[in-house]
């Protein structure tokens, strides 16, 4: 009962929350929560604009891309390194035949011992055996045949002929040097095996036969006739091999081998000019067409593997010289000395560079015949020793002058360090002017005088190419007569020229290829069209062919291939397409286009970042409200 009485009969109803309090508790804080999911329309629009810029960037970059044909940089580097570490060499095979000698009886030497002695002597005479264009490593392949009359011995494996047939005709003395040279060509031919073969035949005569006569033929044979000892025979043979056949008798005062008058395109333009100093005295003309067919054509054909030669001629009037001459009673002529040579050529009056064919990178060699006026006729060139010049001519800028002569005056006068050519002063037979005649005397140079003039000019051309202009070589063992050829150059001289030019062309090719490679890699915006890539590729292939031909001793083919290699890489280096204005770098490209695209791009990126940040913030508010709803429910 007590429990029942304690329970209130009329309990009070519970207090209800007011609507305002319920609304306050159900409404979220807008700063921290939101009840609806944030929309992505603004975000999609912002990202779409941003992605359109990103996708359009490759198209923009492609539109300003510079086409670059691939170049074989590795092959270029390998070719240059190989040429530098392993100089180009030609195989040389030498054959020495001693007739009338008995080395075994007098010296106890066999053919192998004599061959070794010749090799040692050649190494002493030619210490620069490792230079480019020389024999392979200086390891000369020398074979020896010793014909004592009663017996014949030869080195092991020698392909020389033993005994020498038709050798008995030598002692008859009925053959001229030219006929004997032809006989040796028929008897000996060429040394077998790869490469060119060079032969020296030494005939030991009696003491009564007089002095020793040594002759180098126009082919690849030489002979020594007379009474000589065994040591002299070995020395003369080695000297002919090392100094004549291998170096063409080059001496310290000869033109340097790297001073080649061949253009980068493999061409030489021979410009012959006949200058009349004073047409009021006389006017001379020449029959150049006949000279071109009879004298120049064989020379051009002989030099064809080395250079593509073009010939032109002209006759000019009113061409005085710049230097002064003086009358000399002793010589009975007007004299100009070697000191006047830098001022002899008159570039203001001698308008010689009129050739259309000499465009581009071709070299022009000016070969000038100068006819003085009547008041300076005869005009003679005085040498430093006081003698008159036999040829009455000189070459420029390399002239045989005293050692103290300032060569830089000549070089400064011409303004370039390239070969200019040669000048011959020709005095007419009669230097007396016909004072009664008012009209100038018109004459034509006779064929005999014209042939003599062109012999001098061809001698100057030989000097410009690095060869001797005379037919005599004086060495350590004696004097040697050098037979001339109707082509102007003997076969062994052409071998020397080919070797020098092959080395020069390949080194020039490697240098130009290296320069082009470094230039292309340093300028990423340089235009490299397919033609340049093909020229570089063909140049490397031609250089490889030149090296291959040189290793087998094929001189002409090696010279032609090396000339093509140099010409192709020069054409590639100076191609007009790589001289474009598009050589700007990436930084320059960025500086040009950034004022147009950078402001807009930055605004688009910032807008996208702001929208992305807003979307993430609103999404966090919505997730907070959803979490609270789950807790309440």
């Amino acid at each position: 009962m007590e429990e029942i009485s304690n329970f209130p009969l009329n309990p009070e109803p519970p207090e209800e929350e007011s609507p305002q309090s319920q609304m306050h508790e159900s409404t979220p804080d807008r700063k921290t929560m939101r009840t609806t999911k944030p929309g992505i329309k603004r975000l999609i629009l912002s990202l779409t604009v941003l992605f359109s810029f990103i996708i359009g960037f490759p198209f923009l970059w492609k539109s300003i891309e510079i086409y670059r044909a691939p170049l074989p940089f590795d092959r270029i580097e390998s070719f240059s390194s190989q040429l530098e570490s392993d100089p180009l060499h030609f195989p040389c095979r030498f054959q020495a035949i001693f007739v009338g000698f008995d080395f075994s009886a007098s010296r106890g030497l066999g053919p192998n011992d004599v061959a070794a002695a010749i090799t040692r002597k050649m190494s002493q005479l030619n210490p620069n055996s490792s230079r480019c264009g020389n024999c392979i490593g200086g390891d000369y392949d020398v074979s020896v045949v010793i014909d004592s009359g009663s017996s014949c011995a030869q080195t092991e494996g020698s392909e020389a002929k033993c005994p020498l047939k038709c050798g008995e005709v030598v002692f008859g003395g009925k053959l001229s040097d030219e006929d004997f040279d032809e006989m040796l060509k028929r008897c000996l031919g060429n040394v077998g095996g790869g490469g060119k073969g060079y032969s020296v035949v030494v005939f030991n005569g009696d003491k009564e036969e007089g002095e020793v006569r040594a002759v180098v033929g126009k082919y690849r044979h030489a002979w020594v006739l007379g009474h000589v000892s065994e040591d002299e025979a070995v020395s003369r043979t080695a000297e002919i091999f090392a100094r004549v056949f291998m170096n063409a008798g080059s001496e310290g005062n000869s033109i340097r081998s790297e001073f080649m008058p061949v253009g980068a395109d493999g061409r030489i333009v021979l410009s012959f000019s006949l200058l009349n100093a004073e047409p009021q005295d006389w006017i001379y003309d020449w029959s150049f067409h006949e000279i071109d067919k009879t004298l120049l054509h064989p020379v051009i054909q002989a030099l064809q593997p080395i250079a593509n030669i073009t010939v032109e001629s002209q006759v000019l009037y009113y061409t005085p010289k710049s230097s002064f001459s003086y009358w000399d009673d002793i010589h009975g002529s007007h004299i100009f000395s070697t000191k006047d040579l830098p001022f002899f050529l008159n570039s203001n009056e001698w308008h010689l560079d009129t050739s259309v064919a000499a465009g581009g990178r071709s070299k022009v060699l000016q070969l000038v015949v100068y006819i003085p006026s009547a008041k300076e006729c005869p005009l003679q060139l005085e040498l430093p020793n006081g003698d008159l010049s036999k040829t009455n001519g000189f070459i420029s800028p390399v002239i045989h002058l005293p050692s103290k002569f300032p060569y830089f005056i000549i070089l400064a006068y011409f303004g370039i360090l390239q070969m200019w050519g040669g000048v011959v002063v020709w005095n007419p037979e009669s230097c007396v002017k016909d004072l009664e005649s008012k009209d100038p005397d018109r004459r034509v140079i006779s064929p005999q005088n014209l042939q003599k003039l062109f012999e001098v000019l061809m001698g100057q051309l030989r000097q410009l190419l690095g060869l001797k202009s005379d037919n005599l070589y004086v060495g350590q063992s004696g004097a040697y007569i050098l037979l001339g050829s109707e082509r102007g150059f003997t076969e062994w001289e052409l071998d020397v020229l080919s070797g020098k030019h092959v080395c020069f062309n390949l080194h020039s090719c490697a240098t130009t290829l290296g320069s082009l490679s470094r230039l292309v890699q340093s300028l990423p915006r340089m235009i490299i069209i397919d033609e340049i890539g093909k020229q570089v590729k063909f140049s490397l292939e031609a250089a490889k062919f030149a090296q291959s031909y040189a290793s087998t001793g094929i001189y002409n083919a090696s010279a032609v291939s090396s000339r093509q290699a140099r010409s192709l890489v020069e054409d590639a280096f100076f191609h007009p397409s790589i001289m474009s204005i598009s050589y700007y770098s990436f930084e320059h490209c960025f500086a040009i286009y950034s004022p147009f695209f950078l402001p807009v791009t930055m605004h688009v990126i910032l807008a996208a970042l702001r929208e992305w940040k807003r979307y993430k913030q609103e999404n966090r508010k919505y997730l907070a409200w959803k979490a609270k709803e789950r807790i309440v429910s």
Side-chain angles (χ1 to χ4, degrees):
M1 293 298 290
E2 185 178 358
E3 294 178 358
I4 296 175
S5 61
N6 290 338
F7 185 81
L9 296 178
N10 296 319
E12 296 180 0
E15 296 182 359
E16 297 181 359
E17 295 181 355
S18 63
Q20 295 180 352
S21 62
Q22 293 180 359
M23 185 180 299
H24 177 74
E25 293 178 0
S26 61
T27 301
D29 188 4
R30 293 184 179 275
K31 294 182 179 180
T32 59
M33 288 181 292
R34 59 177 295 169
T35 59
T36 59
K37 189 174 183 180
I40 61 173
K41 184 184 296 184
R42 292 173 57 181
L43 179 61
I44 292 176
L45 289 176
S46 301
L47 294 179
T48 301
V49 175
L50 178 61
F51 286 143
S52 65
F53 271 81
I54 296 175
I55 295 174
F57 181 76
F59 294 97
L60 174 64
W61 184 257
K62 188 68 177 179
S63 65
I64 62 174
E65 182 183 12
I66 298 298
Y67 179 75
R68 293 166 62 88
L71 296 182
F73 299 112
D74 295 338
R75 292 179 57 189
I76 293 175
E77 184 66 25
S78 176
F79 171 67
S80 301
S81 301
Q82 178 188 1
L83 198 63
E84 186 69 24
S85 60
D86 186 15
L88 185 68
H89 294 117
F90 289 85
C92 302
R93 303 177 66 84
F94 301 100
Q95 172 181 285
I97 301 177
F98 299 94
V99 180
F101 291 88
D102 193 355
F103 286 89
S104 59
S106 60
R107 306 290 298 277
L109 301 177
N112 294 331
D113 301 325
V114 177
I118 295 176
T119 303
R120 289 193 300 269
K121 186 65 176 179
M122 290 174 62
S123 300
Q124 296 174 2
L125 295 173
N126 190 16
N128 299 323
S129 59
S130 60
R131 70 178 184 179
C132 182
N134 214 323
C135 292
I136 297 179
D139 186 11
Y140 312 117
D141 185 6
V142 180
S143 59
V144 173
V145 175
I146 302 175
D147 186 1
S148 61
S150 60
S151 62
C152 183
Q154 62 184 18
T155 55
E156 298 178 359
S158 173
E159 299 183 11
K161 296 183 179 180
C162 179
L164 177 65
K165 299 179 180 179
C166 62
E168 60 273 10
V169 298
V170 177
F171 301 99
K174 298 180 180 180
L175 290 179
S176 62
D177 291 338
E178 288 76 12
D179 294 336
F180 189 62
D181 191 25
E182 296 291 340
M183 185 203 71
L184 285 183
K185 182 183 179 182
R186 293 192 304 268
C187 294
L188 300 178
N190 194 12
V191 180
K196 301 296 182 181
Y198 304 94
S199 302
V200 173
V201 183
V202 183
F203 297 93
N204 190 14
D206 298 331
K207 294 182 179 180
E208 292 78 12
E209 291 184 2
E211 61 178 341
V212 178
R213 182 177 179 82
V215 182
V216 180
K218 61 183 178 181
Y219 300 107
R220 297 181 178 90
H221 309 295
W223 63 94
V224 179
L225 178 61
H227 181 71
V228 293
S229 62
E230 287 83 356
D231 293 337
E232 184 180 357
V234 171
S235 299
R236 284 183 174 269
T237 302
E239 188 167 26
I240 293 176
F241 285 151
R243 291 289 179 85
V244 180
F245 285 147
M246 293 176 59
N247 293 324
S250 298
E251 298 175 357
N253 58 354
S254 62
I255 297 176
R256 300 188 303 271
S257 60
E258 66 269 14
F259 214 24
M260 295 297 180
V262 181
D265 56 354
R267 297 182 57 196
I268 299 178
V269 178
L270 297 180
S271 179
F272 293 87
S273 301
L274 178 62
L275 306 186
N276 290 274
E278 185 54 67
Q280 295 181 356
D281 298 336
W282 43 60
I283 296 178
Y284 274 90
D285 201 351
W286 56 8
S287 301
F288 188 83
H289 181 68
E290 297 296 329
I291 293 296
D292 188 12
K293 291 193 303 183
T294 58
L295 296 180
L296 291 180
H297 184 70
V299 175
I300 295 174
Q301 292 296 323
L303 297 177
Q304 188 64 34
I306 298 173
N308 183 14
I309 301 178
T310 305
V311 178
E312 61 180 20
S313 67
Q314 59 183 344
V315 179
L316 300 180
Y317 309 103
Y318 297 103
T319 54
K321 59 184 179 62
S322 298
S323 61
F324 297 96
S325 61
Y326 63 93
W327 176 260
D328 187 276
D329 293 329
I330 299 178
H331 298 97
S333 62
H334 294 271
I335 300 296
F336 71 102
S337 64
T338 54
K339 297 180 181 180
D340 302 323
L341 295 184
F343 313 101
F344 188 93
L345 305 181
N346 190 347
S347 59
N348 295 325
E349 302 291 341
W350 296 12
H351 303 290
L352 304 179
D353 295 330
T354 59
S355 173
V356 179
R361 297 180 299 277
S362 302
K363 288 286 186 69
V364 182
L365 290 181
Q366 304 287 350
L367 299 174
V368 176
V369 177
Y370 178 81
I371 302 177
S373 61
K375 63 180 181 180
E376 284 190 321
C377 186
L379 183 63
Q380 299 289 336
L381 173 62
E382 185 181 29
L383 299 177
N385 57 5
D387 297 335
L388 297 182
S389 174
K390 296 180 180 179
T391 61
N392 210 26
F394 60 93
I395 61 175
S396 177
V398 181
I399 308 173
H400 297 290
L401 300 177
S403 59
K404 296 183 179 180
F405 189 84
Y407 289 94
F408 65 88
I409 296 180
I410 304 178
L411 303 180
Y413 179 78
F414 294 113
I416 53 176
L417 293 176
Q418 295 182 351
M419 292 182 180
W420 187 85
V423 178
V424 179
V425 179
W426 182 73
N427 298 300
E429 287 82 355
S430 176
C431 290
V432 180
K433 177 184 177 182
D434 188 0
L435 300 178
E436 297 180 357
S437 177
K438 296 182 180 180
D439 296 331
D441 188 9
R442 296 183 178 271
R443 308 176 186 178
V444 178
I445 301 178
S446 64
Q448 295 79 10
N449 291 328
L450 198 58
Q451 184 172 0
K452 294 179 181 179
L453 287 174
F454 271 81
E455 288 178 357
V456 177
L457 293 176
M458 288 301 100
Q460 293 178 348
L461 177 62
R462 288 171 54 86
Q463 283 187 293
L464 292 173
L465 291 174
L467 299 176
K468 294 178 65 65
S469 60
D470 53 3
N471 61 346
L472 184 66
Y473 170 71
V474 180
Q476 297 180 2
S477 302
Y480 303 88
I481 300 174
L482 308 179
L483 293 184
S485 174
E486 62 277 0
R487 300 191 303 168
F489 301 88
T490 62
E491 290 187 3
W492 56 271
E493 287 176 336
L494 292 175
D495 292 343
V496 176
L497 283 181
S498 298
K500 290 182 178 180
H501 278 264
V502 168
C503 291
F504 179 80
N505 290 335
L506 289 183
H507 279 283
S508 178
C509 176
T511 302
T512 307
L513 281 174
S515 300
L516 180 61
S517 175
R518 291 187 295 270
L519 181 65
V520 171
Q521 295 182 69
S522 62
L523 297 175
R525 303 293 298 173
M526 175 183 287
I527 298 175
I528 306 297
I529 62 176
D530 290 332
E531 183 180 358
I532 296 177
K534 292 179 180 179
Q535 288 173 339
V536 172
K537 177 183 177 182
F538 293 154
S539 176
L540 286 171
E541 291 179 355
K544 292 298 181 183
F545 279 123
Q547 290 178 314
S548 177
Y549 290 137
S551 63
T552 56
I554 307 177
Y555 287 80
N556 291 344
S558 180
V560 172
S561 298
S562 67
R563 191 180 71 190
Q564 292 175 351
R566 182 189 176 195
S567 177
L568 286 170
V569 71
E570 290 285 343
D571 291 340
F573 190 83
F574 293 100
H575 198 278
S577 65
I578 66 175
M579 304 304 294
S580 172
I581 61 174
S582 301
Y583 281 3
Y584 51 84
S585 61
F586 175 76
E587 291 80 6
H588 185 68
C589 179
F590 179 79
I592 291 178
Y593 288 100
S594 59
F596 298 96
F597 296 98
L598 188 59
V600 178
T601 305
M602 292 300 296
H603 283 290
V604 171
I605 294 175
L606 292 176
L609 291 176
R610 284 196 301 268
E611 186 58 31
W612 173 253
K613 183 178 180 181
R614 185 200 65 81
Y615 175 78
K616 291 178 63 177
Q617 183 178 2
E618 295 298 325
N619 192 42
R620 283 196 298 268
K621 292 180 181 180
Y622 174 72
L623 295 177
W625 180 79
K626 291 288 291 182
K628 183 178 180 181
E629 284 294 318
R630 285 196 298 268
I631 294 174
V632 173
S633 61

